Amino acid sequence: MKSKILLSLLGCCVFSQAYATEYFVRPDGGTLSQCNGTVDKAYNEAAPDGLCAVKHIFELLDPQKKVVHIAGGDTINIANNADGSVAEYELGRHGEYISGGCHDAWAYDCVMPSIPSGTVANPTRILGEGWNQGCSAPPSLWGSGRAKRLLTLDGSENVEMSCLEITDHSSCIKASGFPDASLVCDRSKPYDKPFADTGIYLADADNIKLTDIRVKGLTTGISAGRLGDVTLERVELFANSGAGWNGDILGEDNVTGTITFKDSAITFSGCGLIYQPGSDNHDQPHACAKQDLGGYGDGLGTGQTGGDWVFENTKIMYNNSDGIDLLYHELGGKITVKNSRIEGNGGNQLKLTGNAELVNNVIISNCGWNTDQDAALGANGEHCRAAGTAVIVGWAAADDKSVLLNNTLISEGDCIISANDRLKMGIDNQSLYAVNNIFYGLIDETPGDAQNSCLYFHKEGLNFPNRQVHNNIIHQVKNFGEPCNAFNNNVPTGDNANEGFCTIVTNRDENNMPTYFNDADYSIATNPHFLRVDPNIRHTAYDIKTMELEANRPYPKDSQSPAYNQGYQGSVGGVAIPATDFLGNPRGSLPDIGAVEYTVSPKAPLIISIVPKN
């Protein structure tokens, strides 16, 4: 009997996989009544045979009747134009899609039903043309009519989406109090304006994979909560005027699985995106808006959540407020940030609660960047919101630990690190590990403060019961808390362990240069003036030379450098010293301090230059 049941189950699974259907969407296709969508062929009105592609994804995921015409495990292929140019598919009330859920009285509800769940072995797939050939020209899905979302995965499991651009055709922004009212999205009737709210909505979803997707110019790139596993690889959230990733949705938000960002970018959230095809201004960010004006601008923020969050080789840069805000990560799990660049966010670069590991990152809190922009971009943006501290770490459980290993942290905010006992659990077993880092203090850009950044602030003081701090370079911080004397703790013996190097801002020589590091690059202003932003570039404020200097300074060019071969070799809080550095170069048997390892011929950075203001 058991063998019969097993054969029956196997037969069911084979049947399900064998009969999964592949659908095709192309601009020269037909309606679902004219074409069954299963053949990649244009509709021929002169010789209709029903074996052709449909003309729009709405034919398969009907927003009018909220009917799904595909099954879980099916694939939808979305094509470009026949001449190879990018096809643009309008998602909103238009053409013949004007009844039911697309009625003009509630056109904002003209959204497709949720993508049906597949299986682990046979996921449902939405694939743009070129998804398996480098995705050089993804088809564009653009929202209109104030559509509340463009793609929905509500309760969806085992879904893959790849090679799509998700956007709208408007330059308007979310911030209702913006001084130039003409730039604010008009949300009143008639609902016929060419903007939309959210690109991708994820709720109660699991085993979702997004690859080679760009979400730009909307109010919110991704709204998400109550998730299992979600993987984003080569995903870019660019210039969405509310937030890049908003993890505070209706109801509970808790993540129970793993959210992974890999080789991805979240940039210029809280700023609008100019839509003027053919103009030099097209696809340029503009009108960054602070919260006082109704703006938002976190790159990534959540409500109360848990789960594991992984950011690997990801750029979180020039978002108008915080970069990554996981301050409410209070329900368990771990946050891992490695080989990433967190820079230029207008508030804090990182807010992390719970177990956290930061390894091999370049973190630059030039939080006052808005003030150095043309008025059209930065005049109304945030300026070092929440004091602009580079990294905030918090503990939500008695045994939480934060590990900072081989990072380069630079701050023009109030401090480089701030810490707190988030849920008042008591600090008897809470731990901070800070080893092999460069901590670099700049002049504090917080309004009314002309001092350098402090190294570390905790309202209970510097003396944690559990703290392992050594082999760091602490440079040009102010003397708050006597960091050169009080920060190091539990320095082990062996494995090249040492006290590191420390200078406070008063340690200067007769030429008023810092005692240890007197290179001219330290006088370079931290805030760039963006002459032009290329959305295809992972941005940096610095040209490559300056980036190398500041990420790798004091530059380990000889045995006299305090960074060269001065790193600790042993395990730190259970985390091994990374085998490679921020740029992918191997670390030596004696690692350097900071994110970048000295090599005779360093590997070129994966970041393209932006010309700073003269």
Side-chain angles (χ1 to χ4, degrees):
M1 181 68 177
K2 288 183 179 179
S3 61
K4 290 182 179 179
I5 293 173
L6 179 60
L7 287 171
S8 176
L9 289 171
L10 287 171
C12 172
C13 295
V14 170
F15 178 90
S16 173
Q17 292 186 30
Y19 286 89
T21 303
E22 193 165 11
Y23 291 92
F24 298 89
V25 177
R26 46 190 288 172
D28 54 8
T31 65
L32 195 58
S33 63
Q34 296 167 332
C35 300
N36 65 4
T38 62
V39 179
D40 187 12
K41 186 178 71 174
Y43 170 60
N44 186 347
E45 187 175 4
D49 59 6
L51 301 177
C52 45
V54 294
K55 65 179 181 178
H56 200 286
I57 194 172
F58 277 5
E59 297 294 324
L60 303 174
L61 300 171
D62 182 0
Q64 302 175 102
K65 297 180 180 180
K66 310 301 181 190
V67 174
V68 177
H69 294 289
I70 68 169
D74 289 348
T75 296
I76 298 176
N77 296 280
I78 302 177
N80 281 320
N81 296 313
D83 63 2
S85 61
V86 170
E88 297 186 336
Y89 297 90
E90 183 176 357
L91 302 187
R93 185 179 191 271
H94 73 284
E96 62 255 51
Y97 309 110
I98 58 174
S99 65
C102 298
H103 190 280
D104 61 358
W106 48 80
Y108 47 79
D109 198 40
C110 187
V111 299
M112 293 182 287
S114 188
I115 297 169
S117 298
T119 64
V120 172
N122 193 33
T124 305
R125 301 188 301 166
I126 313 292
L127 306 176
E129 182 174 334
W131 69 275
N132 58 350
Q133 298 176 332
C135 190
S136 59
S140 180
L141 309 180
W142 69 276
S144 66
R146 213 191 90 179
K148 61 184 178 184
R149 63 182 72 120
L150 301 186
L151 293 169
T152 302
L153 294 93
D154 191 350
S156 302
E157 297 182 1
N158 305 307
V159 174
E160 297 179 2
M161 297 195 298
S162 183
C163 197
L164 298 169
E165 179 183 82
I166 301 169
T167 186
D168 64 18
H169 285 181
S170 173
S171 304
C172 73
I173 62 171
K174 168 185 180 287
S176 58
F178 199 76
D180 185 350
S182 70
L183 296 179
V184 179
C185 295
D186 181 359
R187 305 181 67 82
S188 63
K189 292 183 178 181
Y191 303 125
D192 57 359
K193 290 85 174 177
F195 75 89
D197 285 342
T198 295
I200 302 174
Y201 179 79
L202 293 163
D204 303 296
D206 189 21
N207 196 22
I208 307 300
K209 186 173 183 180
L210 309 178
T211 307
D212 293 311
I213 289 178
R214 176 184 293 167
V215 187
K216 65 177 188 177
L218 299 166
T219 298
T220 303
I222 297 177
S223 290
R226 301 187 301 275
L227 302 175
D229 294 339
V230 178
T231 299
L232 302 93
E233 188 167 358
R234 298 186 302 277
V235 170
E236 183 173 6
L237 308 179
F238 176 56
N240 296 288
S241 67
W245 172 293
N246 183 357
D248 188 3
I249 64 173
L250 185 65
E252 295 183 356
D253 304 314
N254 186 27
V255 168
T256 55
T258 300
I259 311 298
T260 302
F261 287 80
K262 184 177 181 181
D263 301 328
S264 294
I266 308 177
T267 58
F268 289 95
S269 304
C271 309
L273 188 66
I274 296 173
Y275 182 78
Q276 292 178 357
S279 163
D280 288 342
N281 292 325
H282 181 59
D283 262 357
Q284 292 297 288
H286 74 138
C288 305
K290 56 190 174 184
Q291 291 194 21
D292 291 349
L293 300 175
Y296 178 31
D298 278 359
L300 179 147
T302 71
Q304 190 179 43
T305 192
D308 294 334
W309 294 74
V310 179
F311 302 85
E312 182 177 352
N313 191 31
T314 291
K315 312 299 184 291
I316 311 291
M317 303 175 70
Y318 294 93
N319 299 289
N320 187 54
S321 190
D322 299 326
I324 296 175
D325 184 353
L326 285 169
L327 193 65
Y328 296 96
H329 182 257
E330 302 167 342
L331 303 178
K334 185 173 76 171
I335 303 166
T336 303
V337 185
K338 59 182 180 179
N339 295 94
S340 293
R341 189 173 181 96
I342 322 292
E343 176 188 323
N345 302 290
N348 307 119
Q349 307 308 302
L350 292 164
K351 288 179 175 175
L352 312 176
T353 293
N355 289 305
E357 294 178 7
L358 276 66
V359 181
N360 265 355
N361 302 291
V362 174
I363 303 171
I364 303 176
S365 187
N366 49 321
C367 54
W369 72 275
N370 266 316
T371 60
D372 201 37
Q373 309 310 310
D374 292 339
L377 177 62
N380 295 286
E382 295 286 5
H383 180 86
C384 295
R385 182 180 178 275
T389 297
V391 175
I392 296 177
V393 291
W395 292 271
D399 57 351
D400 280 346
K401 64 181 180 182
S402 297
V403 178
L404 281 70
L405 179 60
N406 278 104
N407 302 284
T408 296
L409 296 96
I410 303 169
S411 180
E412 66 180 23
D414 184 50
C415 290
I416 299 174
I417 305 173
S418 178
N420 65 85
D421 181 13
R422 177 78 182 158
L423 298 185
K424 311 301 180 188
M425 300 294 293
I427 58 176
D428 289 344
N429 293 305
Q430 296 173 346
S431 301
L432 172 68
Y433 299 83
V435 177
N436 291 358
N437 302 286
I438 294 176
F439 297 112
Y440 185 148
L442 301 170
I443 295 175
D444 186 353
E445 286 286 322
T446 304
D449 196 340
Q451 305 179 70
N452 275 37
S453 294
C454 83
L455 171 64
Y456 179 81
F457 173 79
H458 190 293
K459 64 182 180 180
E460 277 83 20
L462 286 173
N463 297 315
F464 274 86
N466 293 283
R467 190 173 80 253
Q468 181 180 338
V469 179
H470 53 87
N471 288 76
N472 298 300
I473 291 175
I474 301 167
H475 179 49
Q476 290 196 136
V477 296
K478 65 184 177 184
N479 201 27
F480 173 81
E482 299 186 358
C484 292
N485 299 321
F487 193 51
N488 277 3
N489 198 58
N490 289 324
V491 181
T493 57
D495 291 322
N496 206 37
N498 59 66
E499 296 282 342
F501 298 85
C502 182
T503 63
I504 59 175
V505 73
T506 56
N507 294 147
R508 295 177 178 269
D509 62 19
E510 64 276 10
N511 297 314
N512 200 34
M513 297 300 294
T515 305
Y516 286 108
F517 318 123
N518 55 7
D519 299 280
D521 65 289
Y522 291 135
S523 65
I524 296 174
T526 59
N527 290 315
H529 178 83
F530 290 117
L531 301 179
R532 179 172 177 79
V533 174
D534 186 335
N536 295 306
I537 289 175
R538 303 297 188 260
H539 312 282
T540 178
Y542 306 92
D543 59 31
I544 291 174
K545 179 179 179 181
T546 308
M547 180 260 179
E548 288 176 343
L549 291 173
E550 294 206 357
N552 210 19
R553 285 288 185 176
Y555 200 88
K557 55 191 174 185
D558 56 43
S559 60
Q560 300 304 308
S561 166
Y564 181 63
N565 284 355
Q566 292 301 307
Y568 181 58
Q569 296 174 290
S571 175
V572 178
V575 181
I577 302 301
T580 56
D581 71 355
F582 170 74
L583 301 176
N585 295 315
R587 290 193 180 273
S589 57
L590 287 176
D592 294 347
I593 296 174
V596 179
E597 188 83 1
Y598 170 66
T599 58
V600 176
S601 300
K603 181 179 177 180
L606 303 178
I607 303 172
I608 308 300
S609 64
I610 297 268
V611 179
K613 185 178 182 180
N614 292 329

